[in-house]
Amino acid sequence: MGVQPLAPAAEEDPVDDDANTPERLREALVDEIAARSARLGRPLSPRVEAALRTVPRHLFLPGRSLERAYADIPVVTRTDSAGLPTSSVSQPAMVATMLDQLRVEPGHRVLEIGSGGYNAALLSELVGPAGSVTTVDIDPGVTARARSALDGAGHGRVDVVLADGEFGLPDRAPFDRIVVTVGTWDIPPAWPGQLARGGRIVAPLRLRGLTRSLALEPDDGHLVSRSDEPCGFVPMQGAGESAVLRVPLHGDEVGLLVEDGPAPDAAALADAAASPRVDLRSGVAPGPADPFTGPDLWLATALPGFCLLTATPQAVARGLVRPAWTTGTPALAEDGGFAYLGAPGHAGAGTGRSEFVVHAHGRRAGDLAARLAGRIRDWDRDHRSGPGPVLTVHPAGTPDRALPDGFVIDKRHTRVVVTWP
C-alpha cells in the first residue's frame, strides 16, 4: 500500500544504532504522520493515532532494519517470478488514511482482504476484545507470515484465513467493516452482500489506471463513496485479477497503460514517439499540498483517450520523454499521437512560479497538447476548489436511464459513475 511500492529490501539490512529504539522510532513516525495529516486539514482520529503508537511495525518486517521498519514507506515482502511485488507491508501514512476512512468502532466485526499482518493488528486494537478481525489472502506464504507475525506481536485473536478475497467469507458474514488492502479493478457482489446493516467498505479501486481508496456505503441498491484518497497498491490476485494493456512507445523503456477504454493503434503511437516534441504551458500552477495528483481523476473522466504514460529513469535521463513522474503520469492517446503531463516548468524568468506543462508527439501534437492543457484549465476553473467528485457503484446491467449523470466506467460486476458537481 502507498503511492508506489518500493523494490524488495536486501536479505539483511544494516544493524541499527542502539539509540534508535523501536519505541522512539515509532513515536517519531506517528508524530510525522499526525503533523502531515493536520497540515492537510484532515487530522488523525485519536483512536487510529493510539493504535499506530501501540503496534510494533518492526515485528511484521523481520530482516529489515528498524530505520526501514519505521520509515513512512511501503516495504515489499513478496514478489512473483518476474520480480514484481505481490505483497507488502503498507505505507503507514496510507494505512492511517484508510483506517480513518473505515471508521472502526469497538465491537465491530471486520474482514480484511489482503494480509500483511500489520494492518490486521491495528484493526485488532481498534475493535477491542468485544470485536473480531479476520484477514484473508490467496497466497499461503503470505498467510503463514502474517500468522507468525501476529502471534509474535500479541495479536493471536486475529483469524488468518487462506482464501480468495474476491468471494469474501460467506460462512463468517455479516461484517460491520470490510477493508481491501490490494488494488482491485472491481467491487464484486460478495463484498456488499456480506456487509451488516450500516456497514462500510474501504477499497482501493482502479479507475482508468488511477487508484483511489473509496469509503463505500450501501444506498438504495448501490454503493456511494463518502470519501476518496489517491493511493497505490500491489494488484489483486485470483478471480479478481485484471490485466492492464501496455502499449510500447520506446521498447520496454516508455509505454502507455490503457485501462477501462479502447486499445489505441500501437504502431502509430510508436511512430509518433519518434517525432519532434511539442511543448505547451497550461498556465495552471500546482498547489503546495498536492502538486500533481489534483487534476488526475478529472482528466481521466474528461478525456475519452485517457491513459497513463510510464518511463524508466534511464529513458527520462536520455530525454526520450519528460513526464511529471515515471510510474504513471496522465496522458491522452488519439489519432495516432499522444500528449502527457510533463515535469513542472517555470512560468517565466523571475516569476518563481511553476505550472503544469504538457508535451505531445505525433501529426496532431499541437491539437492534442491544447486539448490536455485545456482540460487542466477547466479543472482549475470549475473543480479545483470544489467539493470533489461523487462516485457511485451500481450493479452491472443497470440501464443508463437509472444511473446518475456523469462519466460511466463499465467493469465486470459493476458500473462506476463519477459525477463532478
Side-chain angles (χ1 to χ4, degrees):
M1 194 191 313
V3 174
Q4 192 68 34
L6 303 182
E11 187 66 24
E12 188 71 32
D13 282 344
V15 176
D16 301 282
D17 188 324
D18 289 340
N20 290 332
T21 65
E23 295 77 15
R24 186 174 301 171
L25 291 170
R26 186 161 64 251
E27 288 295 316
L29 170 63
V30 182
D31 287 347
E32 175 189 339
I33 294 170
R36 185 188 309 133
S37 298
R39 285 196 305 270
L40 294 174
R42 48 173 190 260
L44 281 180
S45 71
R47 297 185 65 247
V48 169
E49 182 173 340
L52 290 168
R53 294 189 187 280
T54 301
V55 175
R57 188 176 188 243
H58 68 283
L59 297 184
F60 298 89
L61 291 167
R64 272 59 171 190
S65 67
L66 288 178
E67 286 81 6
R68 178 178 289 271
Y70 289 106
D72 190 22
I73 57 173
V75 180
V76 173
T77 55
R78 201 166 177 85
T79 59
D80 62 15
S81 58
L84 298 174
T86 59
S87 183
S88 69
V89 173
S90 304
Q91 179 186 6
M94 195 66 236
V95 170
T97 295
M98 292 183 71
L99 290 176
D100 267 336
Q101 286 184 296
L102 197 60
R103 296 184 180 178
V104 177
E105 297 294 339
H108 272 170
R109 292 169 49 85
V110 180
L111 172 65
E112 179 193 40
I113 296 171
S115 296
Y118 175 59
N119 195 60
L122 293 166
L123 289 167
S124 182
E125 290 286 335
L126 292 171
V127 302
S132 67
V133 176
T134 303
T135 180
V136 305
D137 201 281
I138 198 171
D139 186 332
V142 171
T143 54
R145 182 189 184 101
R147 177 73 279 162
S148 175
L150 285 163
D151 289 343
H155 288 281
R157 292 192 317 112
V158 174
D159 284 332
V160 182
V161 178
L162 179 64
D164 188 335
E166 171 88 352
F167 307 106
L169 283 179
D171 58 331
R172 303 194 186 193
F175 300 98
D176 299 291
R177 299 289 187 266
I178 297 175
V179 59
V180 185
T181 60
V182 288
T184 179
W185 179 69
D186 203 356
I187 303 295
W191 299 350
Q194 293 174 23
L195 270 185
R197 188 178 186 88
R200 174 176 280 214
I201 300 169
V202 170
L205 183 65
R206 297 208 316 265
L207 303 163
R208 307 202 78 192
L210 303 174
T211 306
R212 293 294 183 271
S213 176
L214 304 182
L216 298 165
E217 293 181 350
D219 184 358
D220 194 23
H222 63 278
L223 298 169
V224 177
S225 180
R226 305 304 183 188
S227 68
D228 64 273
E229 298 287 346
C231 58
F233 284 81
V234 297
M236 194 168 188
Q237 302 176 62
E241 186 174 354
S242 177
V244 178
L245 172 66
R246 182 183 185 276
V247 178
L249 300 179
H250 290 280
D252 292 334
E253 291 188 292
V254 183
L256 295 176
L257 302 182
V258 181
E259 189 173 61
D260 300 318
D265 186 332
L269 289 173
D271 289 341
S275 68
R277 188 181 73 222
V278 171
D279 302 326
L280 182 64
R281 295 204 303 252
S282 69
V284 177
D290 197 4
F292 301 119
T293 59
D296 290 8
L297 190 55
W298 161 250
L299 295 174
T301 58
L303 294 168
F306 180 85
C307 52
L308 297 173
L309 184 140
T310 64
T312 64
Q314 294 79 10
V316 175
R318 298 209 318 274
L320 293 178
V321 287
R322 296 185 60 203
W325 57 92
T326 59
T327 53
T329 197
L332 163 66
E334 211 171 85
D335 297 330
F338 63 96
Y340 62 93
L341 195 63
H346 287 286
T351 65
R353 178 178 178 270
S354 63
E355 63 180 302
F356 292 110
V357 176
V358 174
H359 305 301
H361 295 264
R363 181 173 53 85
R364 297 184 55 243
D367 291 341
L368 293 174
R371 282 185 57 198
L372 182 51
R375 288 306 192 183
I376 293 172
R377 287 191 287 271
D378 291 344
W379 165 78
D380 182 58
R381 182 189 65 238
D382 299 331
H383 303 294
R384 184 173 201 159
S385 301
V390 176
L391 294 98
T392 55
V393 182
H394 306 259
T398 302
D400 289 347
R401 65 180 181 276
L403 297 175
D405 292 336
F407 186 88
V408 180
I409 303 173
D410 283 309
K411 297 180 177 289
R412 183 183 305 122
H413 301 297
T414 62
R415 308 189 75 189
V416 181
V417 183
V418 185
T419 302
W420 293 85

